[in-house]
Amino acid sequence: MTIEAAPPLATDVAALRDLESEAIEIIREVVAEFDRPAMLFSGGKDSAIVLHLARKALWPAPLPITLLHVDTGHNLPEVIEFRDRVVAEAGVNLVVARVEEWIADGRLQERPDGTRNPLQTVPLLDTIAEHRFDALLGGARRDEDRARAKERIFSIRDAFGGWDPRRQRPELWHIYNGRHAAGEHTRVFPISNWTELDVWRYIEAEDVPLPSIYFAHERPVFERDGMLLTPGPWGGPRAAETLSTRSVRYRTVGDGSCTGAVESEASTVAQVIEEVTVSRLTERGATRADDRLSEAAMEDRKREGYF
């Protein structure tokens, strides 16, 4: 069934510009308040939006922020190609923390299930400490997960990178508090109040480029635990799993071992907006195996220092 897209209402456009203004104010606050800010950049749609907003917030000045990507080694090639192309075009510095380096020298061990998303925390915290980053901008949003819904926009991390929800500070009247002790740092979420639909509407309005995996394409996939996974170095298909070619797209970017595609015919931004508008499943709930490990899987990882 084809769903006719309704044209955006004037109130929708105004709401989108209010979200943009809020995000730009937050990014300018970070640049003004912190000495060594960085930006988490995975090549996904949310980090692409934050980078676009940061460049807009500081234009025409060059972006005084280092990008940081924790590369699990299990990323889809299209995402890595997009990451490197965007970084080259923007002329910004990129630091890549490769999980495989931590595995090679014994600081980490491969998990029995082969997934590397949970292994990202140690390389992330080590790299923050090495570069003495005191603020990290990220593209997390409150509508993604109940743990992310608890986060303030400025969220303090202790000297070990851990998050304690009880230490969060009030942010009344959009007044943000970046104070932190030596060794601590602050995670900052400029698009925390956005929804997945807001993100896609903004991508359409601003013509923000994205990796091709976000749009429907023919791809060999196999089904595991209700998700469609791409074969790759993370393993699969196993003996009982069948490979087939389907029209799919990805709603999130993550480690290939635990991030699934969804069947879709949406090959343009407008068609994706139509699809997201009527979807009853959240993007992570539909496609992320690591969030299904327990009811508090995301919060447990965040308390240890995860994104």
Side-chain angles (χ1 to χ4, degrees):
M1 179 179 68
T2 300
I3 300 166
E4 296 293 335
L9 302 173
T11 50
D12 294 336
V13 175
L16 206 57
R17 291 306 168 193
D18 285 346
L19 290 171
E20 179 190 60
S21 296
E22 179 189 60
I24 285 176
E25 177 193 359
I26 292 164
I27 292 167
R28 288 175 176 166
E29 184 79 16
V30 168
V31 172
E33 192 169 348
F34 292 88
D35 296 323
R36 299 178 68 85
M39 180 187 300
L40 296 164
F41 187 77
S42 65
K45 66 183 186 311
D46 300 308
S47 56
I49 288 282
V50 176
L51 177 59
H52 179 85
L53 288 164
R55 297 181 72 187
K56 200 166 185 175
L58 303 172
W59 184 264
L63 195 63
I65 297 175
T66 297
L67 304 191
L68 168 59
H69 182 209
V70 180
D71 186 347
T72 65
H74 286 174
N75 296 101
L76 296 177
E78 297 97 320
V79 176
I80 299 302
E81 184 276 330
F82 173 80
R83 178 199 70 185
D84 293 342
R85 176 161 46 85
V86 168
V87 167
E89 290 172 356
V92 293
N93 182 41
L94 171 69
V95 172
V96 180
R98 293 181 172 79
V99 170
E100 288 183 343
E101 295 179 6
W102 271 256
I103 294 173
D105 64 17
R107 284 177 287 175
L108 287 174
Q109 290 186 333
E110 289 276 20
R111 291 165 50 91
D113 61 7
T115 182
R116 288 184 176 174
N117 254 13
L119 300 185
Q120 294 180 84
T121 299
V122 172
L124 170 66
L125 297 181
D126 287 355
T127 305
I128 291 171
E130 177 187 354
H131 291 269
R132 295 183 289 113
F133 294 134
D134 55 2
L136 276 92
L137 291 156
R141 309 188 320 268
R142 289 189 170 117
D143 76 325
E144 292 183 87
D145 182 271
R146 68 188 69 182
R148 286 184 166 167
K150 293 181 181 179
E151 289 264 25
R152 298 284 195 266
I153 290 176
F154 275 42
S155 187
I156 190 75
R157 296 297 193 272
D158 65 23
F160 302 99
W163 175 59
D164 182 352
R166 295 167 299 184
R167 286 191 67 201
Q168 296 191 108
R169 299 153 175 165
E171 293 179 332
L172 304 177
W173 305 290
H174 289 196
I175 298 175
Y176 307 111
N177 185 345
R179 186 179 61 183
H180 59 281
E184 294 181 337
H185 68 274
T186 301
R187 306 281 174 90
V188 183
F189 308 108
I191 62 170
S192 186
N193 290 329
W194 297 40
T195 66
E196 183 186 14
L197 188 57
D198 294 328
V199 167
W200 278 104
R201 283 178 170 163
Y202 191 74
I203 287 166
E204 181 180 55
E206 295 284 305
D207 195 22
V208 180
L210 294 180
S212 58
I213 65 167
Y214 279 111
F215 304 99
H217 56 288
E218 295 285 329
R219 190 179 201 95
V221 293
F222 61 93
E223 187 167 348
R224 179 179 296 167
D225 299 328
M227 295 193 309
L228 299 177
L229 300 180
T230 295
W234 43 87
R238 296 168 182 161
E241 296 167 340
T242 303
L243 201 61
S244 62
T245 299
R246 303 195 201 181
S247 177
V248 299
R249 72 176 191 87
Y250 281 80
R251 290 178 70 177
T252 67
V253 162
D255 186 79
S257 62
C258 61
T259 305
V262 294
E263 291 196 282
S264 173
E265 300 293 334
S267 58
T268 66
V269 173
Q271 291 170 343
V272 171
I273 289 172
E274 293 174 23
E275 192 175 88
V276 171
T277 300
V278 299
S279 176
R280 301 287 301 272
L281 293 174
T282 65
E283 60 189 275
R284 294 189 69 94
T287 62
R288 297 297 286 265
D290 50 334
D291 291 345
R292 301 176 181 180
L293 296 176
S294 72
E295 283 289 314
M298 174 65 82
E299 181 159 340
D300 290 343
R301 295 202 302 276
K302 288 177 72 66
R303 284 177 178 272
E304 295 170 354
Y306 187 73
F307 307 114

